[in-house]
C-alpha cells in the first residue's frame, strides 16, 4: 500500500480534471478539480476546489465542494464549504463547516470511481 503526496509547492489546475489514487493520497498543495481515492487526507495547508470522493476522507485544510465517503472526519483546522454524503461522520470542535449533511442510503452514491478507463481519454470529445 503506497502513499502519494501533493506537496505545498504544487498547484494543480485544469478544466474538468480528476485525480485518481488507488491507495492513500495526502494533499498539502492546492487542487482545483475532482479527487477520487481509497483514502484521502487534506493537510492543514492543503485545499481542494471540487468533489472529493473516497472510502475515507480526513480534512485538516480546506474543501469547497462536495465530500463523499464512507467515513468523513473534519479536524479542528478544517474549513469546508459544501455538502457531505457519508456513512460515518465526525466533526471536531473548531471545525468550520457550511453545507448540508446527508447519510447515504446506498453505498454506490459514495463509492469512489477508481477505474481510470471509465473516464474519457485526453483529447477525446465527450457529447
Amino acid at each position: 500500500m503506497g502513499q502519494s503526496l501533493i506537496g505545498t509547492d504544487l498547484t494543480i489546475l485544469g478544466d474538468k480534471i480528476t485525480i485518481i489514487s488507488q491507495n492513500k493520497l495526502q494533499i498539502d498543495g492546492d487542487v482545483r478539480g475532482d479527487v477520487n481515492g481509497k483514502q484521502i487526507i487534506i493537510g492543514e495547508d492543503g485545499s481542494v476546489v471540487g468533489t472529493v470522493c473516497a472510502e475515507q476522507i480526513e480534512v485538516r485544510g480546506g474543501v469547497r465542494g462536495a465530500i463523499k465517503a464512507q467515513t468523513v472526519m473534519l479536524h479542528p483546522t478544517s474549513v469546508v464549504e459544501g455538502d457531505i454524503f457519508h456513512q460515518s461522520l465526525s466533526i471536531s470542535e473548531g471545525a468550520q463547516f457550511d453545507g448540508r449533511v446527508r447519510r447515504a442510503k446506498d453505498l454506490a452514491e459514495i463509492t469512489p470511481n477508481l477505474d481510470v478507463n471509465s473516464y474519457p481519454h485526453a483529447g477525446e470529445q465527450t457529447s
Side-chain angles (χ1 to χ4, degrees), residues 53-74:
C53 187
E55 293 173 8
Q56 181 181 348
I57 298 173
E58 286 186 49
V59 182
R60 299 173 191 276
V63 174
R64 191 167 40 188
I67 294 176
K68 300 178 181 183
Q70 292 176 24
T71 304
V72 178
M73 293 187 295
L74 302 185

Side-chain angles (χ1 to χ4, degrees), residues 19-84:
I19 295 172
I20 300 169
S21 174
Q22 299 294 333
N23 294 308
K24 185 175 183 179
L25 173 62
Q26 171 131 359
I27 299 172
D28 291 330
D30 296 319
V31 174
R32 297 191 195 156
D34 297 340
V35 182
N36 288 350
K38 287 231 185 254
Q39 181 181 4
I40 297 173
I41 299 169
I42 300 166
E44 287 187 30
D45 296 325
S47 70
V48 175
V49 177
T51 299
V52 182
C53 187
E55 293 173 8
Q56 181 181 348
I57 298 173
E58 286 186 49
V59 182
R60 299 173 191 276
V63 174
R64 191 167 40 188
I67 294 176
K68 300 178 181 183
Q70 292 176 24
T71 304
V72 178
M73 293 187 295
L74 302 185
H75 291 273
T77 54
S78 64
V79 179
V80 175
E81 294 178 33
D83 296 346
I84 297 175

Side-chain angles (χ1 to χ4, degrees), residues 5-26:
L5 173 67
I6 296 174
T8 56
D9 63 329
L10 189 60
T11 299
I12 298 175
L13 306 171
D15 187 29
K16 298 180 183 175
I17 67 163
T18 302
I19 295 172
I20 300 169
S21 174
Q22 299 294 333
N23 294 308
K24 185 175 183 179
L25 173 62
Q26 171 131 359

Side-chain angles (χ1 to χ4, degrees), residues 80-100:
V80 175
E81 294 178 33
D83 296 346
I84 297 175
F85 304 89
H86 67 93
Q87 284 294 108
S88 169
L89 171 66
S90 67
I91 301 176
S92 297
E93 185 175 343
Q96 298 178 44
F97 169 61
D98 185 10
R100 294 178 296 177

